[in-house]
Amino acid sequence: MHDPGVDAVIQQWTSEREQSAEEAEAHRIATSWLAEAPQTPQNSPQTPGIPGQRGAAGAGAWSTLETADTTYLDAMRDRLPDAPDELLVAAAGWWQMVGDVREAEAWWDAGISPLDQRALDYRAAGLAPDDLAKWLGPLTVLEHLRRGSAPAWCVARLARQRRDAAS
């Protein structure tokens, strides 16, 4: 894809997760120590989950946590084979909350990587992937966004263009 924004996100993600030799050794020792610890009902492994809604029922139960959509991960691996799995799983989690694989791919095809969380901000502001190619003066919406224009400003300008065209 050779998108500088995506490359920067991947580099930042990778550098944040690199461990020094000392950190790797500490992690190895802690892991082996925990593996040798006896399992009791109090510290037995549990299914990952999130607290349930707190309502009249009190503290609530734990709800099972959904894993990342494998079709999304496969689509992402095809486009970014060198991206770390952790990054792809995080991006899948963002998109699972608001859309599906086809929508994420539509954003990517329009010029915004689903790894770039700003795509969710653009979506929340009211932009659609088709809007990114529309012209606002001498620049497209995507070019305005890449130059730092607010998504809400782009939405307002597009709405004004539609009103002007209708009258």
Side-chain angles (χ1 to χ4, degrees), residues 70-160:
T70 56
T71 56
Y72 182 86
L73 292 174
D74 291 341
M76 293 296 293
R77 280 190 191 104
D78 289 343
R79 291 180 183 233
L80 283 174
D82 297 332
D85 283 343
E86 292 173 340
L87 181 59
L88 299 179
V89 169
W94 299 330
W95 280 100
Q96 280 178 231
M97 289 187 283
V98 297
D100 60 6
V101 176
R102 286 185 304 264
E103 183 180 3
E105 288 177 332
W107 280 99
W108 198 315
D109 293 340
I112 300 288
S113 169
L115 295 179
D116 187 346
Q117 197 167 3
R118 291 177 296 182
L120 298 176
D121 296 335
Y122 302 157
R123 184 185 188 276
L127 290 171
D130 296 340
D131 292 334
L132 299 181
K134 294 180 181 171
W135 291 91
L136 295 176
L139 302 174
T140 64
V141 172
L142 180 58
E143 291 169 331
H144 277 288
L145 293 170
R146 287 191 173 153
R147 290 181 176 209
S149 296
W153 178 84
C154 293
V155 169
R157 290 280 311 266
L158 286 170
R160 190 169 76 199

Side-chain angles (χ1 to χ4, degrees), residues 17-110:
R17 277 143 189 82
E18 288 179 354
Q19 292 183 342
S20 67
E22 184 177 308
E23 291 170 325
E25 179 67 10
H27 179 69
R28 186 191 63 75
I29 292 170
T31 302
S32 65
W33 180 77
L34 289 172
E36 295 171 3
Q39 293 292 319
T40 63
Q42 289 180 342
N43 67 355
S44 62
Q46 295 179 343
T47 305
I50 55 175
Q53 292 290 333
R54 299 195 194 310
W62 287 85
S63 300
T64 303
L65 185 64
E66 296 290 327
T67 58
D69 183 355
T70 56
T71 56
Y72 182 86
L73 292 174
D74 291 341
M76 293 296 293
R77 280 190 191 104
D78 289 343
R79 291 180 183 233
L80 283 174
D82 297 332
D85 283 343
E86 292 173 340
L87 181 59
L88 299 179
V89 169
W94 299 330
W95 280 100
Q96 280 178 231
M97 289 187 283
V98 297
D100 60 6
V101 176
R102 286 185 304 264
E103 183 180 3
E105 288 177 332
W107 280 99
W108 198 315
D109 293 340

